Amino acid sequence: MLIDVLPLLDIIGSLSIFMMLMVLALLSRRLGSVTRSAPYYVGLYIAALLMAVSLLFKILSKGGNITFLTQADQDVLMLVIYAVLPAAALTIAVIMAWRYWSWLLAERG
């Protein structure tokens, strides 16, 4: 039973990260419009897009095996879907969020 739940939890976790990135992008866009700063929030939308692509491929790959690729190509594709795209998305998101929201940590007493 635990084996059947893990793919569902993987998709739910990726979906929650995607939603968090979208909320952060929308909040950063509003902050940028108020402070008239450069539109670095676009990076958060790019991060959300990378996460959405990974999520879409995860959903599609759960349905069936990809038969037109060789085993080596499938391994590389799965590495990109499950590791590279989410890691790139979160790296971009951390950099952009730090750029927009670091002033919160700079405020001291």
Side-chain angles (χ1 to χ4, degrees):
M1 172 156 165
L2 184 63
I3 303 295
D4 297 330
V5 175
L6 290 178
L8 180 62
L9 291 177
D10 181 29
I11 290 173
I12 291 171
S14 296
L15 181 63
S16 66
I17 292 172
F18 168 74
M19 294 300 294
M20 182 264 319
L21 290 173
M22 287 301 297
V23 167
L24 192 59
L26 292 171
L27 288 173
S28 296
R29 184 181 62 159
R30 293 191 95 183
L31 175 69
S33 69
V34 168
T35 61
R36 294 183 183 11
S37 61
Y40 295 116
Y41 62 86
V42 174
L44 290 167
Y45 284 121
I46 292 170
L49 177 68
L50 290 175
M51 201 66 201
V53 168
S54 173
L55 178 63
L56 180 66
F57 277 116
K58 284 179 185 181
I59 292 171
L60 293 176
S61 70
K62 299 296 183 215
N65 196 1
I66 304 169
T67 57
F68 61 89
L69 297 174
T70 64
Q71 184 62 36
D73 290 337
Q74 284 182 8
D75 292 342
V76 170
L77 182 64
M78 291 301 138
L79 176 70
V80 168
I81 291 170
Y82 284 93
V84 174
L85 285 177
L90 292 177
T91 302
I92 292 169
V94 165
I95 293 169
M96 294 301 115
W98 183 261
R99 181 78 177 147
Y100 260 91
W101 299 96
S102 63
W103 62 272
L104 287 172
L105 298 175
E107 295 293 323
R108 305 256 184 216

